[in-house]
Amino acid sequence: MLTCQRCLRNFGDREPVWCCPCGGTLQLKDCTPSAVDRRGIWRYLGGLPIEPEHIVSMGEGDTPLIERAVGGRSAWFKLDYLAPTGSYKDRGMSVLVSWLRSAGITRVVEDSSGNAGSSMAAYCAAGGVACDVYVPDYTSSGKCVQIAAYGARLVRVPGTREDTTRAAERAGASCFYASHNWSPWFLHGIKTWFLEVFDVLPEVRNVVVPVGQGSVALGARLAMEELRKTGHLERLPRIFAVQPAHCDPLARAFEAGLEDPVPIEKEDTAAEGIASAEPVRGTEVLRAVRDTGGGFVTVSEPEIWSAHADLCRAGLYVEPTSAAAAAGWRKLCDAGRIDAVEPTVVYLSGIGLKATDKIAEHMR
Ligand SMILES: [Zn+2]
């Protein structure tokens, strides 16, 4: 059952809704994981009301967790950029597109800063769902090529990321608006990243994640809650959320002790995957971070690129958005907010090959 986070109205599992008529976000309730003989993320998703014959999977999940020294300091790195389409979104998209098929939805529209669009296009191609992907016209060419190559219709929208969302919502009036940011199904796929970490590193004390819309943080929080309910986890690991200083509506709200994102004037950032000025689940993200005793940290553009260089020199070729997480981790250690002896996981969300043009431009 789906429940509105604002007015508590309930919806059935198969109802083609992406948000409550009141404008609230939806969450999936009463999802009890059950053991199933599956691999990757689906190992953890036995409780989802999706028939096995509707599952669209390309082996997502089971990504490496490695301990590595980066920039002279050690941490664990979750290599979620090693996914079928090169970004962590595949975890969520596998579940979202499987649900679309269970619900009998055959045509969708999605909006994305790039990675989610690529992932949606790939899973729709694999699952036989027609798909239009709206992206801001500043999106890296690598991502646009990838989306179109999967056979999705690519629509480039001038203006801001938010203009892209509004264009997709309008288009969604005539088919299903399958926004990953609104989808409760997507989040259940994303949560599996933390379940995998916990299987290997149950003593994990901190997770450092890049946050735009906040799905990585929300997925971790959801996984932690399920692990606590089943008696596996007593003390929640702290979630540290990293935002670019050029787009930090949640970090500012957190510092000010507010419950909702703060309106901001967004500036250009290399971390395009987390350049979200109006995160739809912002209130939930702020609550999730507070619940764990974690916090926010903002990083400048030079700090992002410096961390990117350090990651590359350690053999980790990620996109700048992922480097923001490493930059945040470095600042949290420097400030004494994270102790070097605590088991800490830094989350790497997208592969560097997606952002070849931006990385090349920076190296010049
Ligand atoms: Zn509602």
Side-chain angles (χ1 to χ4, degrees):
M1 183 197 293
L2 303 173
T3 304
C4 173
Q5 297 297 286
R6 189 189 284 170
C7 73
L8 305 181
R9 178 171 166 184
N10 291 323
F11 302 85
D13 290 335
R14 299 282 149 72
E15 281 188 62
V17 288
W18 59 270
C19 86
C20 181
C22 85
T25 54
L26 303 175
Q27 278 281 16
L28 180 61
K29 290 284 149 87
D30 304 324
C31 166
T32 315
S34 63
V36 281
D37 180 22
R38 294 179 187 152
R39 305 184 67 171
I41 67 163
W42 290 94
R43 179 167 61 239
Y44 301 103
L45 298 174
L48 287 184
I50 291 172
E51 299 83 359
E53 69 268 25
H54 289 138
I55 290 176
V56 182
S57 174
M58 292 192 284
E60 56 293 318
D62 285 338
T63 56
L65 178 68
I66 61 166
E67 196 172 17
R68 189 75 14 132
V70 171
R73 221 183 238 127
S74 259
W76 293 84
F77 291 85
K78 181 65 170 164
L79 311 190
D80 251 11
Y81 62 92
L82 298 176
T85 75
S87 95
Y88 80 100
K89 308 267 187 186
D90 293 348
R91 292 181 184 274
M93 220 51 88
S94 174
V95 177
L96 173 50
V97 174
S98 298
W99 172 76
L100 291 174
R101 281 163 48 89
S102 274
I105 294 167
T106 56
R107 175 162 202 96
V108 298
V109 54
E110 157 79 312
D111 63 303
S112 165
S113 58
N115 280 335
S118 302
S119 186
M120 174 66 96
Y123 281 84
C124 282
V129 177
C131 170
D132 294 353
V133 180
Y134 286 60
V135 300
D137 63 3
Y138 58 76
T139 301
S140 295
S141 62
K143 293 174 182 173
C144 293
V145 169
Q146 192 180 6
I147 291 167
Y150 288 125
R153 193 171 73 94
L154 181 74
V155 183
R156 287 170 168 270
V157 182
T160 65
R161 175 72 182 82
E162 289 65 41
D163 293 329
T164 300
T165 296
R166 282 183 273 275
E169 282 177 10
R170 280 195 300 275
S174 59
C175 57
F176 186 71
Y177 178 47
S179 165
H180 64 287
N181 292 324
W182 286 89
S183 172
W185 307 98
F186 181 79
L187 274 185
H188 277 269
I190 299 299
K191 78 180 177 190
T192 60
W193 85 262
F194 184 79
L195 297 173
E196 287 179 13
V197 165
F198 189 75
D199 278 349
V200 178
L201 193 71
E203 67 274 26
V204 56
R205 185 68 199 105
N206 310 297
V207 298
V208 184
V209 300
V211 163
Q213 292 286 343
S215 65
V216 179
L218 288 174
R221 181 70 186 89
L222 192 56
M224 289 175 193
E225 195 52 44
E226 290 180 6
L227 289 166
R228 183 154 71 177
K229 263 189 202 160
T230 51
H232 293 90
L233 187 63
E234 274 175 38
R235 186 173 67 156
L236 300 189
R238 297 183 297 177
I239 297 174
F240 286 100
V242 185
Q243 296 211 287
H246 283 184
C247 184
D248 60 349
L250 293 169
R252 285 192 208 188
F254 192 89
E255 289 307 316
L258 302 173
E259 289 185 10
D260 300 309
V262 171
I264 56 153
E265 282 292 323
K266 184 164 69 176
E267 292 175 66
D268 275 352
T269 172
E272 63 178 24
I274 49 173
S276 307
E278 300 169 11
V280 301
R281 292 184 184 272
T283 307
E284 293 162 60
V285 177
L286 288 165
R287 199 188 308 138
V289 172
R290 276 198 189 101
D291 283 353
T292 67
F296 274 80
V297 60
T298 58
V299 291
S300 69
E301 297 302 297
E303 285 166 344
I304 291 170
W305 283 114
S306 168
H308 188 264
D310 286 344
L311 286 165
C312 287
R313 279 173 216 133
L316 303 168
Y317 190 58
V318 296
E319 62 174 323
T321 302
S322 300
W329 161 64
R330 181 194 279 175
K331 285 183 93 166
L332 289 162
C333 293
D334 286 345
R337 295 169 72 188
I338 286 182
D339 192 316
V341 300
E342 295 170 345
T344 296
V345 172
V346 181
Y347 189 80
L348 301 180
S349 51
I351 198 162
L353 297 171
K354 301 260 198 174
T356 300
D357 47 354
K358 285 199 166 70
I359 295 170
E361 191 186 316
H362 180 74
M363 288 174 74
R364 272 197 298 272

